[in-house]
Amino acid sequence: MTAPAYNFAYLDEQTKRMIRRAILKAIAIPGYQVPFASREMPMPYGWGTGGVQVTAAILGPNDVLKVIDQGSDDTTNAVSIRKFFVKTAGVKTTTTTTEATVIQTRHRIPETPLGDHQVLVYQVPIPEPLRFLEPRETETRRMHALSEYGLMHVKLYEDISRHGHIATAYAYPVKVDDRYVMDPSPIPKFDNPKMNDCPALQLFGAGREKRIYAIPPYTQVVSLDFEDHPFEPYRHDASCELCGATDSYLDEVITDDRGTRMFVCSDTDYCGTRRAMGHGTAAEDTEAAHDDR
Amino acid sequence: MNAPAINTAFASQAAFRALMEATAQPGEIRTASALGAPAPLSPATAALVQSLTDYETPVWLDDAFARVPAVAEWIRFQTGAPIVQEPRQAAFALIADVEAMPDVTQFALGSEEYPDRSTTVIAQIERFGGRAFQLGGPGIKTSRTFAAEPLPNDFVQRMAVNRELFPRGVDLVLVAGEMMAALPRSVRITEGF
Amino acid sequence: MYVAVKGGERAIENAHALLADARRGERAVPEISLQQIDNQLALGVDRVMCEGSLYDRELAALAIKQARGDMIEAIFLLRAYRTTLPRFGASEPIETGAMDIRRRISATFKDLPGGQVLGPTFDYTHRLLDHTLAQESDVASAATAPVDDTPYRSVADLLGDNGLIERAAPQEGQGADVGDLTREPLSFPAGRDLRLQNLARGDEGFLLSLAYSTQRGYGRNHPFAGEIRFGEVEVEFFAEEVGFAVPLGTVFMTECQMVNQFTGGDTTAPCFTRGYGLAFGQSERKALAMALVDRALRARELGEETDAPAQDEEFVLSHSDNVQATGFVEHLKLPHYVDFQAELGLLRKLRAEFFERNGESETPMQDAAE
């Protein structure tokens, strides 16, 4: 069903042009946040309006769209956004990572490696990696201009002296092509290494904050760290209860009032594909998943 | 949604998507085409102009384009974009005579705070072939061989100046007929195979 | 046995059906009409139009009905609709001096040309619940004076004749292009045009609190309500094809001209300064608050100290928009399990290390260490 009252993919052509120009600049200046005149969308700010505007600006009639939230195609917000594009653009959708040409995501990078024909669109709540160190846009903009990132390193090092570790578990800052420090959106730091040298184009849209930024394919993306405290990705030390995967990011699920817990893949397509291939029988290592002493 | 509107929307999307892919993978050739533009506008240039410019984007024309009044008229009629006299004022600069193109520093380069406020230069060449270059940087796995001609003799030095300005600088799109390739400011370029 | 969560789509549809049902409420109660909302909840309609940035009473009434009376939700609906409308251009500046006045008061002069016109106001009502309104009531028409279409100049303009107050449009230049933050993202410092646009769209409650803070000493303004006027003004649009401005219709507006503390010194003669508020419909609280905040935000321009929240342009303009604010606050309802799991893992690890260091053993679970 299409909604005849609206333009293809909802946005009017003038708005798309404006967003497209911002995307091109973003790709040319990897990791730099390009201001754009974000529009009020029919979903709330903070619920993916930036990602939706980027997707709407790039989407064509031959695209195949996948939308995930928390790694899953079936969470409420993912369903809502996918329906929006089916309704306004009539595009083909999929839940299979490898079939998609455009993947809009909130908080995860798919486990299945992406290819150079794909575009990954991230929904971003706070695009400014320095925001919690310095609330003023005028200041953070100056810091980016001068590559003045000392404050970020001081913050990370304060974590180390207090906790023995960098106390950032998600939205872990990265440096892109050795120039801009960038917020990767609130993905778990487990996903950070997937951004580096990724064959797919990665686009980031922050609607409320009115910023678009990008990582071109095959671009160096380094998670900030220190020689004596190297970056380390984290995952629960367990395997997926359903597919037995030991390499995927896991969701912990509480299954009863006594606090019994189990672990399952956060990426539902990855998990489902593995199960379809016959993985996940009791033969595989699942002992840690029952670890609920 | 009536048919002409949707066709315009799709054509515009296709041209943008071609340039987006070309910018993401510098030196890769993509195609786009719009019909009916007066010479010397090539089909790909015309498609990009229709796709990306409007009343918010000042356009500058080099002498070779400016000599043909039909070019400015077509752009104004199709897009409503204002034609400006100084390359520094332009969001998009169109170059028909690439060997006479102005130095990169003649265009808007953006500021350190807002490097995006810079000119995108669309320059028409004869073909993607002949003079060869090696490209590196974001969008390129290791290195990519790229060939295009004609280009100014000191093209590599000019691109080095542009790269030196990073994050300021211009983004260059080369067009030959229906084909295009992008050399965004992030690209590192050397002469030869 | 755990089953991966499925059926999001059906759950959403069911939730929407429940919403529609709850919106309609008890079926025996007559459904509210848009005319009723427009007429009898008129000030709510005014607020939704003002912060929704779209002057259309019927659409605003519809938004209020659809939003079940949730004003911020109604404002959001109107804003989202506004996005889809084509733009033909900007109107000519409206002339509030030529307003067909329904209410006009000045707190600075006992009497002035045109006089004090109280009009329909809550002021001076005793706030006693009127139980007669609980029933359908038969209200007699109010006596009105004959329409006076004389244009009355504003108090600020009268003061300006003697140079006692600064000129209305100083350095930023009349005739210069006026910015539009819905077309260009705001960057700082913002011009006064963009500041006023931001405040006009801003949340009434937020502006009210900020305005109040300036009265309590956080960025003292020393204000006098020079004039508040509410009435009907004509909107004109300059049509390129005919070469002159054509009238589009009339809108009701509330304007507040605040007269504030002196500026001037060695080189310029002392004079009062201005704060300006303008809102769709009868929105006096909003216009007053806006004028106070506008003046507070001019502190830097006027060479005053800028240490109070209401004087902090970035702070005020970045947080005034209730559609942005509600979206981001409410997005906390969205799933965050991925990030929460990441934090949980980190916290468990830190706790395990803490207990190890202190020679205690943590109970009962410590499976999360890497």
Side-chain angles (χ1 to χ4, degrees):
Chain A
M1 190 190 85
T2 53
Y6 295 114
N7 200 9
F8 177 78
Y10 185 78
L11 297 175
D12 61 280
E13 289 304 300
Q14 204 278 329
T15 298
K16 285 188 209 166
R17 271 195 298 274
M18 175 273 294
I19 296 171
R20 287 168 179 166
R21 293 191 295 257
I23 291 171
L24 293 172
K25 290 296 177 196
I27 297 169
I29 318 170
Y32 165 73
Q33 303 164 51
V34 181
F36 82 111
S38 173
R39 301 291 194 248
E40 257 114 3
M41 299 298 284
M43 60 276 288
Y45 282 124
W47 297 53
T49 55
V52 165
Q53 288 179 83
V54 169
T55 298
I58 68 173
L59 215 55
N62 300 322
D63 275 311
V64 180
L65 177 69
K66 173 180 164 83
V67 183
I68 51 172
D69 186 343
Q70 314 296 300
S72 162
D73 299 272
D74 209 42
T75 42
T76 44
N77 201 42
V79 169
S80 164
I81 290 171
R82 188 166 56 242
K83 277 181 82 172
F84 174 76
F85 282 113
V86 168
K87 191 169 170 179
T88 60
V91 291
K92 200 175 159 215
T93 63
T94 183
T95 58
T96 308
T97 301
T98 49
E99 280 177 8
T101 56
V102 176
I103 303 172
Q104 180 167 329
T105 180
R106 177 168 172 265
H107 295 190
R108 278 307 312 277
I109 300 175
E111 308 289 2
T112 309
L114 301 175
D116 62 9
H117 62 294
Q118 295 181 305
V119 183
L120 184 60
V121 178
Y122 296 74
Q123 301 173 201
V124 182
I126 303 274
E128 178 49 71
L130 306 168
R131 184 59 70 232
F132 296 106
L133 309 174
E134 169 51 65
R136 273 172 210 286
E137 171 70 13
T138 36
E139 278 300 305
T140 53
R141 193 157 277 279
R142 191 185 56 78
M143 289 156 78
H144 284 296
L146 301 172
S147 298
E148 194 184 287
Y149 295 126
L151 198 58
M152 179 63 94
H153 283 95
V154 168
K155 188 263 171 195
L156 295 177
Y157 213 86
E158 277 173 0
D159 280 3
I160 292 170
S161 53
R162 181 157 172 217
H163 301 293
H165 299 279
I166 292 172
T168 299
Y170 60 91
Y172 190 102
V174 296
K175 197 167 200 179
V176 180
D177 195 35
D178 205 28
R179 175 59 180 83
Y180 282 103
V181 167
M182 188 197 91
D183 181 285
S185 89
I187 56 171
K189 66 178 179 177
F190 173 83
D191 282 339
N192 272 26
K194 296 176 187 168
M195 308 179 90
N196 181 47
D197 211 28
C198 175
L201 170 63
Q202 302 173 72
L203 299 176
F204 299 77
R208 191 178 40 77
E209 298 280 342
K210 302 179 170 52
R211 298 288 183 273
I212 286 171
Y213 52 103
I215 304 173
Y218 306 114
T219 298
Q220 188 193 60
V221 179
V222 178
S223 301
L224 300 186
D225 63 359
F226 300 94
E227 257 173 42
D228 50 344
H229 282 88
F231 171 82
E232 45 185 37
Y234 173 86
R235 72 184 285 277
H236 292 304
D237 185 17
S239 56
C240 172
E241 183 97 354
L242 301 177
C243 77
T246 55
D247 57 353
S248 64
Y249 190 76
L250 298 174
D251 275 342
E252 178 181 334
V253 181
I254 298 175
T255 54
D256 63 32
D257 287 351
R258 295 187 310 278
T260 308
R261 292 174 294 140
M262 61 180 284
F263 294 96
V264 292
C265 287
S266 131
D267 184 334
T268 47
D269 171 58
Y270 183 73
C271 193
T273 306
R274 280 180 52 83
R275 275 180 287 154
M277 292 190 316
H279 292 286
T281 51
E284 290 187 60
D285 172 24
T286 55
E287 65 181 80
H290 296 287
D291 192 359
D292 54 307
R293 292 176 295 259
Chain B
M1 286 189 287
N2 57 32
I6 200 109
N7 287 341
T8 310
F10 288 161
S12 188
Q13 186 272 343
F16 158 72
R17 193 68 172 266
L19 181 57
M20 181 181 91
E21 291 174 12
T23 308
Q25 301 178 65
E28 281 271 296
I29 310 291
R30 289 288 182 276
T31 60
S33 175
L35 302 175
L41 281 168
S42 76
T45 307
L48 292 175
V49 166
Q50 280 188 328
S51 174
L52 293 170
T53 70
D54 53 36
Y55 67 92
E56 292 180 328
T57 55
V59 170
W60 179 81
L61 302 174
D62 77 348
D63 286 344
F65 273 129
R67 269 199 300 275
V68 186
V71 169
E73 277 164 33
W74 184 84
I75 292 170
R76 277 203 206 92
F77 179 77
Q78 293 286 328
T79 72
I83 308 289
V84 293
Q85 297 308 313
E86 295 295 325
R88 206 176 298 285
Q89 301 169 326
F92 291 89
L94 305 186
I95 312 279
D97 181 0
V98 69
E99 284 167 294
M101 75 182 270
D103 239 35
V104 291
T105 52
Q106 303 293 302
F107 297 103
L109 300 170
S111 62
E112 295 288 343
E113 275 85 8
Y114 294 94
D116 56 302
R117 296 175 180 176
S118 56
T119 307
T120 299
V121 179
I122 301 174
Q124 297 187 171
I125 57 169
E126 277 163 27
R127 62 178 186 130
F128 290 109
R131 190 171 165 193
F133 305 92
Q134 288 300 314
L135 307 181
I140 297 160
K141 192 168 171 56
T142 47
S143 74
R144 174 175 288 134
T145 304
F146 172 70
E149 66 183 15
L151 287 168
N153 286 332
D154 60 348
F155 183 67
V156 168
Q157 289 91 304
R158 291 188 191 207
M159 294 300 283
V161 168
N162 196 42
R163 176 67 220 185
E164 199 60 33
L165 291 165
F166 193 89
R168 300 168 70 221
V170 301
D171 304 308
L172 179 62
V173 182
L174 297 177
V175 166
E178 298 187 348
M179 292 191 280
M180 68 172 96
L183 298 174
R185 69 192 75 183
S186 60
V187 79
R188 297 159 180 107
I189 182 165
T190 52
E191 194 107 23
F193 285 96
Chain C
M1 176 56 199
Y2 168 79
V3 188
V5 189
K6 282 276 169 196
E9 192 148 350
R10 206 172 62 243
I12 290 174
E13 275 161 18
N14 290 341
H16 291 173
L18 285 170
L19 171 65
D21 184 74
R23 177 188 295 123
R24 178 59 185 87
E26 183 58 59
R27 302 299 194 274
V29 176
E31 188 166 347
I32 194 168
S33 73
L34 300 191
Q35 288 84 354
Q36 286 171 328
I37 295 171
D38 180 4
N39 275 271
Q40 297 169 40
L41 301 175
L43 301 187
V45 170
D46 287 344
R47 179 177 174 194
V48 169
M49 292 195 304
C50 187
E51 293 170 36
S53 224
L54 184 68
Y55 196 97
D56 188 314
R57 299 198 70 83
E58 193 180 349
L59 289 176
L62 174 61
I64 291 171
K65 179 176 176 179
Q66 187 178 333
R68 306 179 65 197
D70 179 332
M71 299 307 259
I72 292 181
E73 179 69 20
I75 289 160
F76 178 20
L77 285 168
L78 211 58
R79 289 264 194 99
Y81 180 77
R82 182 186 189 276
T83 294
T84 67
L85 299 177
R87 282 171 89 82
F88 302 112
S91 75
E92 295 291 293
I94 56 168
E95 180 50 79
T96 51
M99 180 183 277
D100 185 356
I101 284 170
R102 303 299 158 93
R103 168 166 164 79
R104 188 268 197 125
I105 54 165
S106 169
T108 51
F109 293 100
K110 186 176 180 185
D111 200 6
L112 64 167
Q116 306 262 15
V117 180
L118 291 190
T121 176
F122 293 121
D123 298 350
Y124 323 112
T125 62
H126 295 143
R127 268 59 168 207
L128 303 169
L129 272 178
D130 180 356
H131 292 284
T132 64
L133 289 175
Q135 314 297 323
E136 282 188 23
S137 50
D138 191 14
V139 179
S141 300
T144 49
V147 174
D148 175 4
D149 53 10
T150 318
Y152 290 111
R153 301 176 63 212
S154 75
V155 167
D157 286 352
L158 297 174
L159 285 169
D161 289 347
N162 305 319
L164 290 169
I165 195 165
E166 60 179 338
R167 299 179 61 81
Q171 62 279 22
E172 276 144 71
Q174 262 169 326
D177 279 348
V178 175
D180 181 350
L181 56 81
T182 69
R183 312 304 285 183
E184 282 282 328
L186 207 51
S187 59
F188 300 105
R192 193 167 175 217
D193 50 347
L194 292 171
R195 289 206 312 249
L196 288 170
Q197 184 188 13
N198 177 289
L199 298 179
R201 288 159 54 94
D203 182 75
E204 180 174 314
F206 178 76
L207 295 188
L208 177 65
S209 295
L210 282 175
Y212 178 45
S213 73
T214 67
Q215 292 180 289
R216 289 196 65 262
Y218 288 85
R220 188 164 151 73
N221 276 345
H222 199 73
F224 295 98
E227 178 180 310
I228 296 162
R229 58 170 66 190
F230 157 64
E232 208 170 355
V233 288
E234 190 154 75
V235 180
E236 293 184 327
F237 182 76
F238 187 86
E240 294 287 351
E241 48 282 27
V242 296
F244 55 85
V246 292
L248 297 181
T250 60
V251 294
F252 281 89
M253 304 287 296
T254 303
E255 182 187 57
C256 174
Q257 298 258 14
M258 201 67 82
V259 177
N260 300 81
Q261 68 211 23
F262 319 138
T263 182
D266 296 342
T267 53
T268 51
C271 62
F272 287 119
T273 56
R274 292 175 188 247
Y276 188 72
L278 187 70
F280 283 154
Q282 187 172 9
S283 307
E284 286 175 34
R285 185 186 301 117
K286 170 69 181 271
L288 278 159
M290 177 176 165
L292 289 172
V293 176
D294 170 48
R295 177 60 185 82
L297 289 174
R298 297 184 59 212
R300 188 188 312 275
E301 165 205 338
L302 295 167
E304 299 162 355
E305 279 180 44
T306 55
D307 48 6
Q311 295 167 328
D312 185 332
E313 177 182 87
E314 238 194 278
F315 177 79
V316 173
L317 301 192
S318 300
H319 301 109
S320 61
D321 191 296
N322 54 25
V323 177
Q324 288 173 11
T326 198
F328 201 47
V329 168
E330 293 199 48
H331 107 285
L332 292 173
K333 293 184 284 190
L334 286 177
H336 283 79
Y337 358 105
V338 163
D339 295 344
F340 185 72
Q341 293 299 315
E343 289 259 287
L344 202 57
L346 177 66
L347 184 64
R348 284 183 179 141
K349 178 174 172 168
L350 295 178
R351 284 172 63 85
E353 288 172 359
F354 172 86
F355 289 116
E356 200 176 311
R357 271 200 311 279
N358 292 282
E360 301 166 42
S361 71
E362 191 196 8
T363 52
M365 45 191 168
Q366 44 189 218
D367 58 329
E370 274 180 291

